[in-house]
Amino acid sequence: MKNLKRSWAEPYKIKMVELLKMTTAPQRKKALREAGYNTFLLKSDDVYIDLLTDSGTSAMSDRQWAGMMMGDEAYAGSRNFYHLEKVVQETYGYKYLIPTHQGRGAENILSKILIKNGDIIPGNMYFTTTRLHQELAGGRFEDIIIDEAHDAENEFPFKGNVNLAKLDKLIKKYGAAKIPYISIATSVNMAGGQPISLANLKELRAFTKKHKIRIIHDMTRVAENAYFIQQKEKGYNKKSIKEIVKEINAYTDGCTMSAKKDALVNIGGFLAVNEWDVFEEARNMVVVYEGLHTYGGLAGRDMEAMAIGIGESVSDDHIRARVGQVIYLGNKMMDYNIPIVKPIGGHGIFVDAKKFLPHIPQGNFPAQTLAAELYLDAGVRTMERGIVSAGRKANGDNYFPKLELVRFTIPRRVYTQAHMDVIAESTANVYERRNKIKGMKMVYEPKYLRFFQARFEKL
Ligand SMILES: *Cc1c(COP(=O)(O)O)cnc(C)c1O
């Protein structure tokens, strides 16, 4: 008989569980008030289902844990570094590796090496730490993502694509010499985990070659992007995730990587480039900020877990279940008519707070408010991706981003399908009483990356 339906399911079983504390509504009310209505300031002990981030929150496999025991904690030349180097070269195709403690460590070094005062760095939507390092190095980020990416309703399958006309305009205005590289993210985080297509990347490569401009790849979620290419881009449904990842990287000149996402580790990252000169300088600089070039702020055991995690992250079975779980949650939310960013992205569900709470003006932080209300309902911790995250411009004015979102990021291999059900049911509960929800005001604002530590009060 023909198999009509086959659910996504995990290619693993559970060997150990982590017990969670269940809280009452009065406990959550108190915890939230003490956290200044910022979910980043909650104690994780007070959280039931933690969707704050998919960063460093994945469950490692038995093999990765076994690898942790194989850590070679030599100061220089650890065997785990050479293992990691080999895996990065073979899996991702970049030539030279510099390990760093996490992604932003790599961004710092790369920005300092490539960006000069007054430079322009075009990219497919900003990312918080990436843009900040570009700015601290004297550069300015310019958004060249297609307009569809800024529209939560638009169902274009590759909302991570670059608009070449926007790039061309920047080159005409500033000159190619002022553009040290184009910053290209796969699975664009701030757009809702939206992929870039290989067709678009190919075109971008041809265009940048003409102008002699590098492409630096923010590779944090490249495997998830590869999955969407495999599922949706013409000509790729017979290709493996491994092959697609390699092809993506072949159109770029280097990468920064937060291994805390795709690569299934709790800490770690790296910089990898194809140019010897850039590598030379990075190898000199990493000693100042991270540690020796053969450990970059990581223990040998962390590098071993990363090397093994990278291998697991590009397996077709792994990625199908990983993204399958996210899509399951997204469909469930849509069944409840909750407004989410479409198409469903690779690492989480992004709820459109402007649509959810249309009576709250953006200046009163609708997404921040919604994240607080969601925690109150069932102890699910989400985070704001809107006006608070966007921060202020150099002249002190607030950025007013088009997208005002609450991010439900799904850690890899951590939660079950029943957890997904609870998340959707709780969100639906809040949606029912949405008209009664009031906005907030900010009562403490840190200077950098304010979303991490800002405090709020209810209006
Ligand atoms: C997380 C992330 C980073 C920064 O990496 P960290 O490991 O958190 O320092 C950079 N880019 C993207 C797209 C990310 O999601």
Side-chain angles (χ1 to χ4, degrees), residues 372-416:
E373 292 292 333
L374 283 163
Y375 171 72
L376 273 183
D377 188 78
V380 175
R381 171 155 71 171
T382 56
M383 72 169 284
E384 193 258 15
R385 274 299 183 223
I387 183 165
V388 184
S389 295
R392 290 179 189 275
K393 300 176 193 170
N395 69 7
D397 291 350
N398 275 309
Y399 284 104
F400 276 86
K402 269 199 193 137
L403 297 178
E404 178 75 20
L405 309 174
V406 175
R407 186 175 85 174
F408 294 59
T409 348
I410 312 299
R412 296 164 187 80
R413 310 195 289 204
V414 170
Y415 292 113
T416 65

Side-chain angles (χ1 to χ4, degrees), residues 87-94 219 222 245 249 257 270 310 313:
V87 167
V88 167
Q89 288 166 344
E90 287 178 3
T91 309
Y92 297 126
Y94 297 116
M219 192 169 66
V222 67
V245 164
N249 292 353
M257 175 70 166
F270 57 82
I310 288 169
S313 78

Side-chain angles (χ1 to χ4, degrees), residues 16 36 74 97 155 161 231 251 255 266 336 369 381 407 448:
M16 186 190 280
L97 167 74
E155 302 215 23
N161 280 0
Q231 297 303 307
Y251 298 125
C255 75
N266 304 119
Y336 286 117
T369 303
R381 171 155 71 171
R407 186 175 85 174
Y448 296 115

Side-chain angles (χ1 to χ4, degrees), residues 55 102-104 107 127 129-130 189 218 220-221 258 260-261:
S55 178
Q102 56 184 78
R104 70 198 69 182
E107 289 170 351
F127 183 73
T129 58
T130 319
N189 196 344
D218 182 338
T220 299
R221 294 183 185 81
S258 170
K260 301 172 69 172
K261 324 282 171 61

Side-chain angles (χ1 to χ4, degrees), residues 105-288:
E107 289 170 351
N108 174 39
I109 292 170
L110 185 90
S111 303
K112 280 201 162 76
I113 293 173
L114 294 182
I115 300 172
K116 289 188 303 296
N117 224 350
D119 278 353
I120 304 291
I121 302 93
N124 57 347
M125 204 174 269
Y126 84 100
F127 183 73
T128 52
T129 58
T130 319
R131 184 179 67 191
L132 184 58
H133 279 298
Q134 292 163 356
E135 287 170 353
L136 290 173
R140 199 175 79 236
F141 174 83
E142 289 274 357
D143 193 4
I144 53 165
I145 203 164
I146 56 173
D147 289 337
E148 286 90 331
H150 292 281
D151 174 4
E153 286 283 291
N154 194 300
E155 302 215 23
F156 185 65
F158 293 101
K159 283 161 89 174
N161 280 0
V162 164
N163 180 332
L164 285 177
K166 287 187 190 175
L167 176 59
D168 192 42
K169 230 166 133 183
L170 287 175
I171 293 176
K172 289 210 170 94
K173 185 161 172 199
Y174 299 103
K178 278 260 175 256
I179 302 177
Y181 61 92
I182 317 274
S183 179
I184 290 299
T186 34
S187 295
V188 180
N189 196 344
M190 303 301 276
Q194 302 296 326
I196 180 170
S197 72
L198 265 168
N200 185 251
L201 193 56
K202 252 186 248 185
E203 262 188 89
L204 180 68
R205 170 81 296 180
F207 189 78
T208 52
K209 238 188 186 145
K210 218 170 54 192
H211 294 279
K212 297 201 167 53
I213 302 174
R214 293 182 193 86
I215 300 175
I216 298 292
H217 176 197
D218 182 338
M219 192 169 66
T220 299
R221 294 183 185 81
V222 67
E224 290 165 10
N225 195 120
Y227 181 70
F228 287 113
I229 289 174
Q230 186 187 55
Q231 297 303 307
K232 297 180 179 176
E233 189 162 357
K234 221 175 121 214
Y236 287 93
N237 71 0
K238 295 247 157 47
K239 293 243 186 246
S240 69
I241 295 299
K242 268 188 199 156
E243 289 169 313
I244 297 171
V245 164
K246 266 247 169 104
E247 185 172 343
I248 294 172
N249 292 353
Y251 298 125
T252 70
D253 301 293
C255 75
T256 55
M257 175 70 166
S258 170
K260 301 172 69 172
K261 324 282 171 61
D262 245 9
L264 299 164
V265 286
N266 304 119
I267 194 74
F270 57 82
L271 170 68
V273 292
N274 291 334
E275 289 165 86
W276 173 261
D277 295 354
V278 177
F279 169 63
E280 265 283 301
E281 258 192 86
R283 199 167 50 168
N284 285 325
M285 203 176 275
V286 73
V287 190
V288 181

